[in-house]
Amino acid sequence: MARSYVHEARKRVGPKRARIRPIVERLTAVHPDAKIALWHGNPLELLVAVMLSAQTTDVNVNHVTPALFRKYRRPEDYLAVPPEELERDIYRTGFFRQKAKAIRGTMRMLVEEFDGEVPRRIEELVRLPGVARKTANVVAAELGNPQGIVVDTHVLTKQEDPVKIERDLQKLVPRHDWGQFPHLLIWHGRRVCIARRPLCEECVVNDLCPSSRV
Ligand code: SF4
């Protein structure tokens, strides 16, 4: 029963390939301000903010980073203080010991191998200690070089494995939209497609959405 309902709904809205472009265009039009919520002013701050955002909210990270980034301006600054001092400075974001260790390891590698600059390529970013593929994807996309699509709990496909989900999306979403697409989904989820009470009647993609309640 449920299965045939899903099948009918998918048939009604047509093939994904034909829907993706209007979906991206319409979401871009209604969420022109959709962007990363982590406060940052340069690539180094972006990298640190994304590393701190693991297992916590962007709001928590944004509470910590203004003072943090005033104090630590270059990779060397993170290495110039005892580890415990950095741990105290990022305490509020949780998992502060692991995060401080990862940040220090990353800063050391930036200094030793990248002239103190944040690399743009995913292959280089994932070499940094404590920088997982998702972090690398977010940073690369924000620096104008998306090489994947950031997959989070808001993204569901027939797959459950994030790597497979990312692969599905890469086949579907035009490459030049890879960076912006996750932000559109996040902002649409916050404003319209709210998990327990989606506002389908107000939704600009309701005619293209198999889950529409309209
Ligand atoms: S139609 Fe409803 S379920 Fe589909 S994206 Fe819009 S708000 Fe979400």
Side-chain angles (χ1 to χ4, degrees):
M1 181 78 169
R3 206 183 183 90
S4 84
Y5 170 77
V6 172
H7 182 72
E8 283 306 310
R10 289 215 176 103
K11 232 165 64 181
R12 173 172 53 80
V13 295
K16 285 189 207 128
R17 288 206 172 277
R19 279 183 283 141
I20 192 70
R21 189 169 291 279
I23 287 174
V24 171
E25 283 171 5
R26 291 185 207 173
L27 293 183
T28 303
V30 290
H31 306 295
D33 52 344
K35 60 175 175 28
I36 191 164
L38 292 168
W39 187 83
H40 66 279
N42 59 46
L44 184 67
E45 293 178 358
L46 169 69
L47 175 62
V48 173
V50 179
M51 291 176 81
L52 290 176
S53 71
Q55 316 282 340
T56 190
T57 62
D58 292 348
V59 173
N60 266 344
V61 176
N62 288 344
H63 268 290
V64 164
T65 45
L68 190 75
F69 296 156
R70 268 197 304 277
K71 179 170 173 183
Y72 304 88
R73 291 174 185 269
R74 302 167 310 140
E76 292 86 345
D77 298 336
Y78 290 88
L79 301 169
V81 299
E84 303 74 37
E85 188 171 332
L86 180 57
E87 287 173 7
R88 268 199 308 278
D89 291 338
I90 62 169
Y91 176 80
R92 186 176 169 156
T93 67
F95 298 94
F96 56 92
R97 283 205 185 90
Q98 279 161 261
K99 288 180 182 176
K101 190 167 170 231
I103 289 172
R104 286 173 59 85
T106 283
M107 296 305 146
R108 195 164 294 117
M109 190 179 269
L110 289 184
V111 171
E112 289 171 1
E113 297 193 31
F114 295 101
D115 290 330
E117 300 290 328
V118 176
R120 301 292 203 259
R121 293 168 49 77
I122 286 219
E123 301 74 33
E124 293 170 327
L125 284 162
V126 290
R127 286 184 50 223
L128 300 169
V131 173
R133 185 171 173 81
K134 186 179 156 199
T135 304
N137 254 341
V138 174
V139 173
E142 288 305 309
L143 296 180
N145 195 17
Q147 287 155 72
I149 297 179
V150 179
V151 171
D152 213 334
T153 48
H154 56 274
V155 177
L156 297 172
T157 69
K158 279 189 215 161
Q159 311 282 1
E160 285 183 6
D161 174 352
V163 175
K164 289 187 187 150
I165 293 174
E166 190 181 338
R167 217 179 295 139
D168 277 1
L169 288 173
Q170 284 177 354
K171 284 190 216 143
L172 200 60
V173 178
R175 182 159 188 144
H176 68 270
D177 294 320
W178 283 5
Q180 188 60 4
F181 188 67
H183 298 315
L184 292 175
L185 294 191
I186 291 170
W187 286 73
H188 194 59
R190 279 189 196 146
R191 290 170 173 164
V192 182
C193 191
I194 301 154
R196 285 201 183 82
R197 44 175 188 92
L199 307 173
C200 298
E201 277 165 28
E202 297 170 23
C203 177
V204 291
V205 295
N206 59 17
D207 57 321
L208 302 170
C209 173
S211 307
S212 172
R213 298 176 182 185
V214 179

